[in-house]
Amino acid sequence: QVRLVESGGGSVQAGGSLRLSCVVSGGLMSSYCMAWWRQAPGKEQEAVGEFDDRGNINYAGSVKGRFTVSKDNDKNTLFLDMNRLQPEDSAIYYCAAGRFISGYCYRPFAYWGQGTQVTVSP
């Protein structure tokens, strides 16, 4: 059973930075399409950064240029570097994984972490 565990959330002031990590266990991360999602109170879930079928990363427009998704396959870990954080970035951030078979990412993603809270104060 694949398990995703996020860490690195916290409280920062606007303009600050955080790095989130997601450790994958129970399977090789390279066998999955990975993504970061977030959900703020009263809002729908939003894909923050997501690998597509070709391994490119698609970012939400609101975070493009400020957030960077990366991964270390040797450590089975996905990262989200968040810079120039704004109060509207406050949300629970989730790591997600979907099976990647024969060049195709299966969605919706089947595996989700428990989430880590990010709070940005003005």
Side-chain angles (χ1 to χ4, degrees), residues 15-54:
S17 300
L18 282 174
R19 178 178 237 206
L20 305 184
S21 300
C22 170
V23 177
V24 180
S25 61
L28 291 175
M29 189 175 64
S30 55
S31 299
Y32 298 89
C33 291
M34 302 297 299
W36 286 99
W37 285 66
R38 68 184 180 185
Q39 186 162 26
K43 295 186 178 181
E44 293 188 357
Q45 264 192 337
E46 175 187 32
V48 174
E50 189 172 276
F51 283 89
D52 66 16
D53 295 355
R54 290 173 291 179

Side-chain angles (χ1 to χ4, degrees), residues 52-74:
D52 66 16
D53 295 355
R54 290 173 291 179
N56 300 314
I57 304 170
N58 297 316
Y59 292 95
S62 59
V63 308
K64 198 173 292 185
R66 300 188 297 122
F67 290 13
T68 303
V69 176
S70 62
K71 58 182 178 175
D72 185 334
N73 283 336
D74 290 339

